[in-house]
Amino acid sequence: MKFFKTSKKGDYSAVQTVNAPAKKHPFYELSAYNPRAEAEYELYKLLREAVPIIDAAICKTVRLVGSFKIECEDSEVETLLNRFISHVKVNASESGLNAFISTYLDQMLTYGTAVGEIVPNALNTDIAALYNASLRDVKLQTGRNPLNLEVCRRDVNGKAIPLPHQNLLLVTPLKPEPGKIYGTSILKGLPFISGILLNIYYSVNANWERVGNVRFAVTYKPGPDASEKAYAKERAMQIAEEWGRAMNSINGVSDFVSVGDVSIKVIGADNQVLDSQVPVRQMLEQIVAKLAIPPFILGLSWSTTEKMSAQQADILTSELEFYRRCLDPVIEKICNKWLAFNGLAAHFSIVWDNINLQDEVEIANARLMSARADEIEKRLEKI
C-alpha cells in the first residue's frame, strides 16, 4: 500500500504569467477592446526586423556577455547547484540556466524590462522549470507602497490582476527613470534615425529598379506630308508593336527597324543618382553609438587605428560588465530558491567567463607588474 503520492516526470504546476485562451468567438477583441499602452514593444520588435544591424548588435551583445558557473564553499553543494544550472528546463524546448538568461537579457535590451518566472513542480518541492514571460501578458504596477512592485496578469478585458506568488517572479528593469517601474530600452531614440535610413534604402531600391531595369522612350515625329500625318496613329501603333516584339524576344538580341523620324532614349539616363554613402554612414554612426558596439564587430570596415580598436573594446567590456551586474540578482534569486527547496544553505558566488583572450593577457600582465613591484619594495626594505 502506498501512502505517498510521487510526482511524475514532466509534472509541473501552472505557469501564472500566461493568459488562458478565452473561449469566445474568434474576434472577441472587437467587443472588449482596450487601448494598448505597450505599443512601443511592437515598434522595437519591428525596428529589429527592419534594420538588420540593430538585431545583429543585440544578438552579439547577448553572446558576448557569456556564460557563468557557481562556486561554493561546500564542494558537494557546488556540484549539485551546477548540475541544476546545466539541466533545468527552460520554456518549452530549452534547458540550462544560461539559455534562460540569454532570452532574459535579450528581452531586457530590446524592451527595457525583462520578466521571468520560477515554476515549481506539482508538489511544490523543487524547481521544475524556468519561464520567460511575455510583456504583453503581464503588467507592472506599484502597491500601496511605491517601493513594492507587483506583477499583474491581464484578463480578457485588459484589467490587471496581481499574481498570487510574487516571490516566484523575476523582474529586471534596465535603467528606469526616476519614479518609473519600467526600464528604458537601448533602442530608445533610434526610430527616427532608422526611419531616415530606411527612406534612403527605399530610394536606392526605387532608383535601381528604374536604372537597372532600363525603360525606353520611343518617340515618332510625323513628317510635313499630309498623308503621313493622317496615318500617324497607325504608324505609332506599328512602331510600338515592333518595339515590344524586339524587347520581348526570347531568342536574345533582336533588331528594331523603323521608317520615319523615330528617336529612342533611355528614361532617367540623364539624371545622376545621389550618392548615399555619406548619409547612410551618418545614420549608422548614430545607431552604433547608441548600441555601444564597436563598428568592426558589426562588419563595418570604417577606418580606425589599432589603439582606437583597443579603446572601443575596453568600452564594450565595461558595457558587458554592467549587463552582468544587472543579471546577478536574477541568478542569485534562482539559486537561492533551489537551495531553499532542497533544504540546503551555503554561500556561493557567480563566476562569469572572461569576455575575451585580451582580458586574460592584460590581467596576467597586471599581475606580473604587481609582482615585480612587490619584489622591488622588498629589496628596498632590506637596504
Side-chain angles (χ1 to χ4, degrees), residues 219-223 228 260-263:
T219 306
Y220 167 64
K221 296 180 180 179
E228 188 173 354
D261 187 3
V262 179
S263 62

Side-chain angles (χ1 to χ4, degrees), residues 163-214:
L163 297 172
H165 307 291
Q166 296 288 329
N167 59 330
L168 297 177
L169 301 174
L170 307 166
V171 180
T172 303
L174 178 64
K175 295 183 293 185
E177 298 179 0
K180 303 293 184 180
I181 56 178
Y182 284 92
T184 305
S185 170
I186 63 172
L187 304 183
K188 185 178 181 180
L190 292 184
F192 174 72
I193 299 297
S194 300
I196 298 176
L197 183 64
L198 293 177
N199 284 334
I200 296 175
Y201 286 155
Y202 180 79
S203 300
V204 171
N205 177 47
N207 289 331
W208 273 99
E209 283 186 351
R210 297 188 182 100
V211 176
N213 188 8
V214 181

Side-chain angles (χ1 to χ4, degrees), residues 359-372:
D359 291 341
E360 296 181 0
V361 174
E362 292 182 356
I363 291 173
N365 289 333
R367 292 180 60 187
L368 178 60
M369 296 298 293
S370 179
R372 288 178 178 177

Side-chain angles (χ1 to χ4, degrees), residues 36-49 54-55 58 62 102-115 132-138 140 171-177 180-190 290-291 323:
R36 300 181 60 184
E38 68 281 0
E40 59 178 346
Y41 298 153
E42 294 294 336
L43 174 62
Y44 293 146
K45 180 181 178 180
L46 183 62
L47 197 60
R48 291 185 60 172
E49 182 179 355
I54 295 178
D55 183 69
I58 295 178
V62 172
S102 296
T103 305
Y104 194 85
L105 177 60
D106 187 282
Q107 186 184 45
M108 183 178 69
L109 296 177
T110 305
Y111 305 115
T113 305
V115 180
N132 293 102
S134 174
L135 293 175
R136 300 174 183 84
D137 296 335
V138 298
L140 305 182
V171 180
T172 303
L174 178 64
K175 295 183 293 185
E177 298 179 0
K180 303 293 184 180
I181 56 178
Y182 284 92
T184 305
S185 170
I186 63 172
L187 304 183
K188 185 178 181 180
L190 292 184
K290 187 68 171 63
L291 299 177
Y323 295 142

